[in-house]
């Protein structure tokens, strides 16, 4: 089922990291007292490229052990062992790099972060990393596609026939005469404001969205003029603070998102701490610089479902061609919220799970408020299916979706697509060190408004990294769909009620309940 | 009669311990450094500040926030970032290093921990970790960003309440209204660590309770004369059989707590206590076990004012689920018997982070008693008496009782602010309304079973 003219996929261009070093998974330790300097290990290493000898002397530690690290080499770890076997004096040992161990966390493991970097760099996955799941012991990390449990050696590469696989998604499923926007991949970029991230990051994301004919969002910090060239691919967010929101920016967009709550801090409103409120940010937001900005919770003109209806209609009236997206988080009655938004006239319902990203939120809210997205998707899907309106609204899942496999699992659970925030930032070099909010902001120059730090990200470099990442994701979706014998990603979404039986549902398996 | 309204406010200020909590990250420099100072320029936290003459300095890991940047930019690849081994070894499986670090931060600054990026931990877990709060999606005007929280009340009442009032034929109130005491936050301080048995520590805790306008529990045999001026904020805890011995404490205390061996005598005991002090509220301190539900009903029947159940730390470490099931058990038994509103139920144990206070309350407790968490705030190394470190920091720190008091105040202040966040998110205007609201809670087990666990 082809909806539109064949979309030309953007090209992959190799975009190496900005840094001379990478954080390696394994490191080789050399015992100096035993080493006789024969150099056998260097010649046998399959990954060691280049002619300059390793800087042995430089890594001399007082204990007499050397860390063999070379910028261009990548140790394959305990599976290889060639250098260890070839060493005549048993002077070598391979260990997990302690720094690699501390990179990332249980949700975004060091493997997922490294593989996302690799994909952003080359547009392909590296099988040496576990790029599919994290270690959070629940949700997506416990779900598998049935083919994943069968022994299969072929890695997701370019092998599948992308001509016949359709990953496109129609965002307007209603028949109200508004434009049928189609995006070639079932994801678009999440809401990040100018103020939480730098202008360069917004430009990189917008440029990538344009290349993919997809979308990115302004977040709640206004619409910088630099984004106007990309206006067909930028969503205007109307949030409770109404920072920089006016009729002009609403009319400019093809999609308008009304943000009612954010998964990381549902019910709490937004924070932008004073240090990040620079004169530039304040100008776009129409506020005084260097004061902390708080957006309230909730919309003070929306206290009932009737108000919600009027609110959506107001946006429809201001911009008669735009699609309306409603972004809500996941309370117990998320099904009621969903049906309310449908009848209010929303085209897209974005449900933002509790484990989503944020620029700044109290830790207590990130962990403890609202349910994870893995539960919310089936609840909403089942309710809307029972009501008979599921095929008239697009459900986008967000909040805790990290990889292409997470997106596919979310779709298999009942969503139409996903909204991606953190993964795009990881592609730009984010290390999830959670220092976005304090002082000058992000040391890597992503979530910052500091003039000097923001220069660390070049928009062209950044946009190509995001393009590469999505190219790799597209390949993985093609692979998944081929494996499942499907032709279109829309077929992956269940048409019936999501109901697991003994841990099985459609193509999904939940490891804890599998019999 | 003029009523002077006073807004409850916890004054927090920095309080630094002599023994600092170990930093989480440690940066090591190999000796191939060429002093090109790429790291100095890259680091925005001044970890790699050079000496005044430009010479290489050891990295100052205390400032490090784990951004990896220095290790990536070093042209000689001569830096490595690691988790501090000293950090990893503190605490245990329940009081994890990260939880202890958070408590330490809250006690030091009194601030709510705020950070960027999403949640990093396990999907869910046992006990309190397997619960999520519900929140109000669109409606409920309780707050406006950070504004509006001053309208949320965290006060709770300690004591009995009547199920209904009786009036005589001429319309005059016939029922006798029982005594109750209102405290402005649903937290009381449990006894200081028994292993750090020094007067100065008890005095500091009691002073903190006075500042917080709540109560601190002190064992009757450790109740020194120095504490008597603070009697209005102290709950003496005494074994039931020594009621006579400690009658002087009963006379000066607003609440006393008894530990009972033979519960049949409780009615007699209460009578005896009321002879010494007609107005004193009587709390009973007992551990959670399988019989907690019937014990709670018997005690409610016999006229006790407060039930104070607790779960010892070691049981909580072995089975974190116990605390959740225990609170629900007692609360449900009281609800089923139709007496829940007549008695105050305080729960202790398992409180290791700010979220555990509203979680205990949402499961059914009126208030919580905080023990180990504030010991950790004062430097406790969670030995639980097993191998008590000879350098236990609690007694030595206690000598600076001002800092110790302030750290307790900071911790409770930060936790109350986070309680307000939760109440605001849930759209509740007072913590009394949160008690037992299990319908506004999402339980991991129930959701998991509902979504993924179908068997038919």
């Amino acid at each position: 089922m082809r909806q539109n003219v064949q979309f030309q996929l953007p090209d992959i261009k190799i975009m190496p990291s900005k840094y001379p070093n990478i954080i390696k998974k394994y490191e080789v330790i050399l015992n100096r007292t035993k080493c006789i300097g024969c150099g056998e290990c260097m010649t046998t290493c399959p990954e060691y490229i280049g002619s300059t000898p390793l800087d042995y002397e430089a890594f001399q530690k007082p204990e007499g052990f050397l860390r063999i690290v070379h910028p261009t080499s990548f140790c394959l770890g305990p599976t290889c062992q060639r250098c260890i076997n070839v060493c005549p004096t048993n002077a070598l040992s391979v260990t997990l790099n302690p720094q690699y161990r501390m990179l990332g966390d249980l949700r975004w493991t060091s493997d997922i972060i490294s593989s996302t970097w690799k994909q952003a760099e080359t547009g392909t996955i590296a099988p040496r990393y576990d790029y599919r799941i994290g270690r959070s012991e629940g949700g997506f990390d416990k779900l598998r596609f049935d083919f994943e449990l069968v022994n299969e050696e072929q890695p997701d590469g370019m092998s599948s026939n992308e001509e016949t696989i359709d990953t496109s998604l129609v965002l307007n499923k209603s028949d109200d005469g508004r434009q049928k926007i189609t995006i070639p991949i079932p994801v678009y970029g999440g809401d990040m404001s100018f103020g939480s991230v730098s202008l360069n990051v917004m430009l990189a994301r917008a440029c990538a969205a344009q290349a993919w004919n997809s979308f990115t969002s302004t977040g709640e910090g206004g619409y910088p003029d630099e984004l106007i060239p990309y206006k067909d691919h930028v969503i205007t967010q109307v949030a409770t603070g109404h920072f920089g929101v006016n009729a002009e920016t609403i009319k400019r967009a093809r999609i308008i998102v009304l943000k009612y709550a954010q998964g990381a801090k549902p019910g709490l409103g937004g924070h932008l701490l004073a240090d990040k409120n620079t004169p530039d940010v304040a100008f776009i937001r129409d506020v005084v610089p260097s004061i902390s900005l708080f957006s309230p919770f909730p919309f003070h003109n929306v206290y009932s479902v009737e108000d919600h209806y009027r609110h959506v209609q107001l946006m429809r009236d201001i911009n008669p061609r735009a699609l309306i997206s409603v972004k809500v988080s996941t309370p117990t009655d998320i099904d009621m919220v969903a049906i309310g938004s449908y009848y209010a006239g929303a085209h897209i319902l974005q449900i933002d799970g509790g484990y989503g990203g944020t620029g700044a939120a109290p830790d207590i809210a990130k962990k403890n408020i609202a349910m994870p997205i893995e539960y919310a998707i089936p609840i909403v899907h089942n309710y809307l299916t029972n009501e008979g309106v599921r095929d008239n609204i697009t459900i986008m899942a967000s909040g805790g979706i990290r990889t292409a496999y997470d997106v596919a699992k979310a779709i298999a659970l009942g969503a139409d697509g996903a909204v991606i925030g953190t993964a795009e930032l990881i592609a730009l070099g984010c290390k999830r060190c959670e220092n976005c909010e304090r002082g000058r902001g992000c040391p890597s120059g992503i979530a910052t408004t500091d003039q000097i730090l923001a220069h660390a990200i070049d928009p062209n470099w950044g946009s190509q990294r995001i393009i590469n990442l999505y190219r790799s994701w597209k390949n993985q979706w093609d692979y998944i769909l081929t494996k499942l014998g499907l032709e279109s990603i829309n077929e992956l979404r269940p048409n019936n009620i999501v109901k697991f039986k003994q841990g099985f549902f459609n193509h999904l398996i939940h490891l804890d309940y599998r019999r | 009669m003029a009523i002077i309204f006073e807004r409850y406010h916890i004054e927090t200020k920095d309080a630094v311990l002599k023994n600092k909590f170990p930093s989480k990250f440690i940066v090591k420099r190999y000796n191939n450094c060429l002093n090109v100072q790429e790291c100095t320029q890259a680091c925005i936290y001044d970890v790699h500040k050079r000496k005044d003459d430009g010479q290489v300095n050891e990295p100052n890991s205390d400032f490090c926030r784990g951004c990896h940047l220095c290790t990536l930019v070093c042209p000689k690849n001569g830096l490595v970032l690691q988790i501090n081994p000293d950090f990893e070894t503190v605490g245990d499986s329940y009081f994890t290093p990260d939880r202890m670090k958070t408590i330490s931060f809250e006690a030091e600054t009194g601030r709510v921990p705020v950070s960027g990026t999403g949640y990093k931990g396990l999907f869910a877990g046992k006990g309190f970790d397997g619960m999520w709060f519900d929140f109000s999606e669109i409606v409920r005007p309780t707050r406006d960003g950070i504004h509006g929280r001053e309208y949320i009340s965290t006060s709770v009442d300690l004591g009995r309440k009547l199920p209904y009032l009786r009036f005589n034929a001429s319309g005059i109130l016939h029922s006798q209204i029982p005594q109750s005491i209102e405290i402005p936050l649903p937290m009381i301080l449990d006894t200081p660590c028994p292993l750090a048995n020094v007067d100065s520590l008890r005095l500091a805790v009691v002073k903190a309770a006075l500042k917080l306008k709540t109560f601190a529990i002190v064992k009757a045999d450790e109740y020194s004369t120095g504490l008597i001026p603070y009697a209005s904020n102290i709950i003496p805890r005494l074994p039931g059989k020594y009621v006579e011995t400690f009658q002087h404490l009963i006379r000066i205390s607003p609440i006393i707590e008894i530990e009972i061996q033979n519960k049949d005598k409780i009615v007699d005991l209460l009578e005896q206590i009321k002879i010494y002090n007609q107005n004193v509220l009587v709390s009973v301190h007992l551990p959670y076990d399988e019989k907690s539900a019937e014990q709670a009903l018997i005690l409610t029947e016999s006229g006790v004012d407060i039930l104070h159940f607790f779960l010892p730390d070691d049981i909580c470490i072995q089975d974190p689920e116990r605390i959740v099931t225990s609170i629900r058990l007692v609360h449900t038994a009281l609800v089923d018997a139709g007496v829940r509103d007549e008695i105050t139920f305080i729960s202790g144990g398992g409180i290791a982070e700010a979220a555990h206070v509203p979680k205990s309350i949402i499961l059914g407790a009126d208030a919580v008693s905080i023990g180990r968490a504030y010991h950790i705030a004062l430097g406790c190394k969670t030995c639980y008496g097993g191998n008590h470190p000879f350098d236990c920091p609690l007694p030595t720190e206690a000598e600076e009782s001002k800092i110790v008091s302030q750290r307790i105040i900071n911790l409770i202040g930060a936790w109350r602010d986070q309680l307000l966040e939760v109440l605001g998110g849930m759209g509740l205007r007072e913590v009394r309304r949160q008690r037992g609201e299990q319908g506004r809670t999402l339980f991991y087990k129930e959701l998991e079973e509902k979504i993924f666990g179908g068997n038919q």
Side-chain angles (χ1 to χ4, degrees):
Chain A
M1 191 176 71
R2 317 286 351 208
Q3 264 95 8
N4 59 345
V5 199
Q6 178 68 44
F7 171 75
Q8 187 64 42
L9 296 180
D11 290 333
I12 294 174
K13 290 191 200 113
I14 304 292
M15 274 293 149
S17 149
K18 290 171 296 185
Y19 309 118
N21 305 326
I22 57 170
I23 302 170
K24 295 191 184 70
K25 191 164 181 174
Y26 301 103
E27 63 178 15
V28 184
I29 303 284
L30 179 113
N31 187 343
R32 273 196 88 239
T33 50
K34 287 185 181 172
C35 178
I36 49 171
C38 64
E40 281 293 321
C41 48
M42 282 194 300
T43 50
T44 189
C45 180
E47 290 284 314
Y48 175 64
I49 321 152
S51 53
T52 45
L54 295 177
D55 201 354
Y56 282 132
E57 290 305 316
F59 285 94
Q60 184 175 352
K61 283 168 74 182
E63 306 91 73
F65 288 91
L66 309 179
R67 183 166 75 132
I68 301 187
V69 271
H70 192 278
T72 53
S73 70
F74 192 99
C75 178
L76 293 174
T79 50
C80 171
Q81 303 263 1
R82 284 188 216 184
C83 56
I84 295 176
N85 293 338
V86 83
C87 180
T89 54
N90 284 334
L92 295 168
S93 60
V94 176
T95 54
L96 193 67
N97 182 356
Q99 188 174 347
Y100 189 81
R101 196 166 67 86
M102 69 151 287
L103 175 70
D105 45 77
L106 295 171
R107 291 193 63 80
W108 276 89
T109 57
S110 36
D111 270 24
I112 296 185
I113 293 182
S114 299
S115 80
T116 307
W117 283 343
K118 188 80 188 166
Q119 293 172 68
E121 212 171 303
T122 62
T124 53
I125 48 129
R128 64 167 74 104
Y129 300 114
D130 189 352
Y131 57 93
R132 297 176 181 181
I133 48 159
R135 294 197 309 272
S136 76
E137 297 175 18
F140 291 134
D141 292 347
K142 282 280 184 185
L143 287 169
R144 300 283 189 281
F145 286 106
D146 42 19
F147 70 83
E148 284 185 272
L149 296 181
V150 186
N151 266 343
E152 39 103 19
E153 291 306 313
Q154 182 196 16
D156 327 21
M158 319 288 279
S159 58
S160 59
N161 188 0
E162 60 192 44
E163 298 294 313
T164 57
I165 302 284
D166 175 20
T167 55
S168 68
L169 173 65
V170 184
L171 291 178
N172 181 5
K173 295 188 187 244
S174 70
D175 296 321
D176 62 350
R178 300 210 173 197
Q179 51 188 329
K180 295 276 178 196
I181 297 176
T182 305
I183 49 177
I185 41 173
V187 293
Y188 60 75
D191 316 86
M192 276 177 245
S193 63
F194 177 52
S196 75
V197 295
S198 69
L199 186 61
N200 283 359
V201 170
M202 294 187 89
L203 283 172
R205 297 180 68 221
C207 192
Q210 190 180 40
W212 272 104
N213 193 21
S214 181
F215 289 89
T216 184
S217 170
T218 60
E220 102 160 284
Y223 202 126
D225 287 346
E226 287 83 348
L227 288 182
I228 291 177
Y230 308 98
K231 65 182 168 57
D232 281 347
H233 303 281
V234 175
I235 298 171
T236 298
Q237 187 186 90
V238 179
T240 49
H242 290 104
F243 293 122
V245 172
N246 54 39
E248 196 189 348
T249 59
I250 293 173
K251 281 179 179 166
R252 200 179 280 154
R254 289 162 78 202
I255 300 180
I256 297 160
V257 57
L258 289 167
K259 187 186 91 173
Y260 286 91
Q262 182 183 344
K265 44 187 173 188
L268 299 185
H271 308 220
L272 183 74
L273 301 188
D275 288 333
K276 283 176 85 175
N277 183 10
T278 59
D280 291 343
V281 174
F283 177 75
I284 288 177
R285 294 193 177 208
D286 295 333
V287 292
V288 180
S290 304
I291 55 162
S292 289
L293 300 180
F294 297 95
S295 38
F297 179 88
F299 278 110
H300 288 320
N301 54 341
V302 181
Y303 282 123
S304 65
V305 69
E306 292 82 7
D307 289 347
H308 176 47
Y309 174 79
R310 293 175 71 89
H311 199 208
V312 173
Q313 291 304 320
L314 175 70
M315 292 302 143
R316 288 177 74 108
D317 290 347
I318 296 175
N319 187 337
R321 69 183 184 111
L323 305 187
I324 311 296
S325 164
V326 170
K327 178 176 174 181
V328 294
S329 189
T330 52
T332 41
D333 53 353
I334 177 67
D335 40 2
M336 295 297 147
V337 176
I339 195 77
S341 293
Y342 168 73
Y343 282 114
H347 299 93
I348 302 168
L349 179 74
Q350 181 187 342
I351 38 180
D352 198 20
Y355 292 159
T358 174
D363 289 350
I364 189 172
K366 288 197 284 192
K367 177 172 183 235
N368 299 303
I369 306 184
M371 69 172 108
I373 192 69
E374 290 91 333
Y375 300 138
I377 299 169
I379 290 175
V380 170
H381 172 80
N382 289 354
Y383 194 81
L384 294 182
T385 307
N386 280 335
E387 293 288 309
V389 300
R390 177 66 187 88
D391 289 330
N392 302 339
I393 187 166
T394 308
I395 294 177
M396 300 298 278
S398 65
I401 293 179
R402 303 155 294 180
T403 62
Y405 274 74
D406 283 358
V407 175
K409 286 169 191 169
I411 293 173
L413 282 173
D416 287 292
V419 178
I420 302 299
T422 306
E424 292 190 354
L425 296 190
I426 301 274
L428 299 181
C430 168
K431 299 158 201 82
R432 273 176 76 82
C433 66
E434 64 179 20
N435 298 311
C436 329
E437 87 296 348
R438 66 195 92 214
R440 294 160 70 194
C442 170
S444 309
I446 299 164
T448 181
T449 48
D450 185 88
Q451 296 275 348
I452 300 161
L453 290 176
H455 280 294
I457 304 288
D458 171 20
N460 294 326
W461 174 85
S463 67
Q464 189 58 48
R465 300 259 303 184
I466 297 172
I467 290 169
N468 289 351
L469 176 68
Y470 285 148
R471 263 309 285 271
S472 168
W473 283 22
K474 165 95 171 84
N475 288 337
Q476 292 173 55
W477 294 320
D478 289 349
Y479 174 78
I480 294 168
L481 293 173
T482 316
K483 274 282 179 187
L484 298 177
L486 303 174
E487 285 190 350
S488 145
I489 199 137
N490 297 318
E491 294 170 25
L492 183 59
R493 201 205 83 197
N495 289 318
N496 50 349
I497 301 283
V498 174
K499 192 158 180 53
F500 277 77
K501 265 185 197 170
Q502 300 192 333
F504 286 84
F505 171 73
N506 262 9
H507 306 292
L508 284 178
I509 294 167
H510 193 282
L511 295 185
D512 283 352
Y513 294 94
R514 183 164 58 123
R515 297 276 154 75
Chain B
M1 191 176 74
I3 296 169
I4 299 165
F5 178 72
E6 200 185 330
R7 175 152 284 154
Y8 181 62
H9 174 71
I10 298 174
E11 205 162 308
T12 58
K13 49 180 180 252
D14 281 3
V16 185
L17 281 185
K18 274 177 284 183
N19 285 328
K20 277 207 146 194
F21 197 78
S23 65
K24 182 168 181 178
F25 305 109
I26 195 157
V27 190
K28 279 190 197 164
R29 173 179 280 123
Y30 289 90
N31 44 7
N32 60 332
C33 175
L34 299 177
N35 199 10
V36 285
Q37 309 208 355
E38 290 278 346
C39 51
T40 318
Q41 283 177 20
C43 183
I44 61 172
Y45 307 112
D46 280 350
V47 174
H48 294 285
K49 213 170 173 186
R50 297 297 196 246
K51 286 176 189 159
D52 288 341
D53 56 358
Q55 290 299 304
V56 182
N57 210 349
E58 266 306 295
N60 187 348
S61 297
D62 285 347
F63 297 154
C64 179
R65 304 208 52 89
C67 77
H68 295 269
L69 205 58
C70 56
T71 66
L72 291 172
V73 298
C74 177
K76 298 298 281 182
N77 200 357
L79 291 165
V80 64
L81 179 66
Q82 275 172 285
I83 301 270
N84 189 351
D86 292 347
F87 173 81
E88 279 185 301
T89 49
V90 300
D92 49 59
S93 63
Y94 195 76
F95 290 95
T96 58
D98 279 317
R99 278 182 171 159
M100 288 179 68
K101 183 173 182 260
T102 308
I103 290 176
S104 173
F105 169 82
E106 288 162 335
E108 197 167 308
T109 62
R111 294 209 302 263
V112 175
V114 173
S115 62
T117 76
Y119 170 62
K120 293 179 146 189
L122 289 174
F123 182 80
K126 281 186 173 170
F128 288 133
D129 283 344
M131 293 169 67
W132 295 282
F133 299 111
D134 190 20
F135 76 102
S136 295
E137 185 67 73
I138 289 169
V139 290
R140 292 175 204 255
T142 41
R143 62 185 301 201
D144 190 350
I146 57 157
H147 310 293
R149 64 157 52 155
E150 58 271 29
Y151 301 112
I152 301 177
S153 160
T154 55
S155 295
V156 290
D157 304 300
L158 305 180
R160 285 186 86 92
K161 289 225 172 99
L162 292 175
Y164 49 86
L165 297 176
R166 272 175 208 272
F167 295 87
N168 64 13
S170 46
I172 294 168
L173 186 63
H174 185 69
S175 310
Q176 206 180 357
I177 308 284
Q179 281 275 320
S180 72
I181 297 170
E182 183 175 328
I183 50 172
L185 76 175
M187 294 176 247
I188 62 169
L189 302 174
D190 213 328
T191 50
C193 183
L195 298 166
N197 192 358
V198 285
D199 272 347
S200 53
L201 181 61
R202 280 188 286 277
L203 189 64
V205 174
V206 167
K207 278 182 178 169
L210 174 71
K211 270 264 178 87
L212 293 165
K213 299 181 183 168
T214 181
F215 288 95
I217 299 171
V218 174
K219 282 189 182 157
D221 52 352
E222 294 170 351
Y223 202 129
S224 59
T225 47
L227 298 179
I228 290 176
Y230 305 96
S232 58
N233 290 84
I234 298 177
I235 303 176
R237 175 182 293 163
L238 45 121
K241 55 184 169 183
Y242 295 131
V243 162
E244 207 174 337
T245 322
F246 292 111
Q247 53 173 288
H248 62 288
L249 293 179
I250 299 175
R251 287 182 209 279
I252 59 169
S253 300
I255 305 176
I256 61 151
E257 186 160 285
I258 50 175
E259 291 168 313
I260 42 169
Q261 301 297 329
N262 187 354
K263 50 190 171 301
D264 298 331
K265 282 189 192 162
I266 184 74
V267 180
D268 302 345
L269 213 53
L270 285 173
E271 252 172 40
Q272 198 185 349
I273 291 166
K274 297 285 174 179
I275 293 170
Y276 302 130
N277 183 348
Q278 185 61 39
N279 292 330
V280 75
L281 301 182
V282 180
S283 162
V284 173
H285 186 240
L286 67 173
Y288 283 116
D289 54 33
E290 311 81 49
K291 291 180 290 182
S292 291
E294 35 184 293
Q295 274 174 326
L297 292 176
I298 293 167
L299 289 168
T300 311
E301 183 97 339
S302 56
V304 167
D305 299 282
I306 300 165
L307 300 172
H308 183 187
F309 282 95
F310 71 99
L311 193 68
D313 288 325
D314 47 345
I315 297 181
C316 208
I317 294 163
Q318 286 163 18
D319 183 10
E321 197 65 43
R322 268 285 289 280
I323 184 72
V324 170
T325 48
S326 301
I327 301 176
R328 284 181 101 170
L329 187 72
V330 172
H331 174 72
T332 317
L334 292 171
V335 170
D336 289 346
V339 294
R340 180 64 191 92
D341 283 331
E342 293 177 36
I343 193 153
T344 304
F345 165 30
I346 299 177
S347 173
I351 311 272
E353 58 181 66
H356 295 170
V357 175
K359 280 180 179 174
S360 295
I361 292 171
I362 216 166
L363 287 167
D366 287 287
V368 295
S369 66
I370 297 183
R372 185 66 60 191
Y374 87 77
H375 304 163
I376 291 170
L378 306 181
C380 167
K381 294 178 174 170
T382 62
C383 64
Y384 310 115
N387 46 9
H388 184 56
F390 65 94
D391 60 342
C392 175
L394 282 173
T396 49
E397 297 284 357
E399 283 157 26
E400 301 200 26
S401 74
K402 252 194 181 159
I403 288 177
V404 169
S405 289
Q406 190 57 49
R407 279 181 78 91
I408 298 173
I409 292 166
N410 285 350
L411 179 75
I412 303 293
W415 282 19
R416 178 176 180 266
D417 281 347
Q418 292 175 73
L419 174 64
L420 290 174
E421 297 279 353
V422 170
L423 292 171
M426 292 181 72
L428 297 171
R429 294 193 83 135
E430 56 173 340
V431 75
R432 294 183 183 104
R433 297 278 293 274
Q434 195 189 28
R435 187 204 70 201
E437 272 277 9
Q438 292 179 15
R440 301 286 312 277
T441 319
L442 303 147
F443 290 99
Y444 163 63
K445 277 186 177 165
E446 292 171 10
L447 276 170
E448 190 84 353
E449 194 61 37
K450 179 181 162 192
I451 308 288
F452 297 121
N455 264 330
Q456 306 83 3

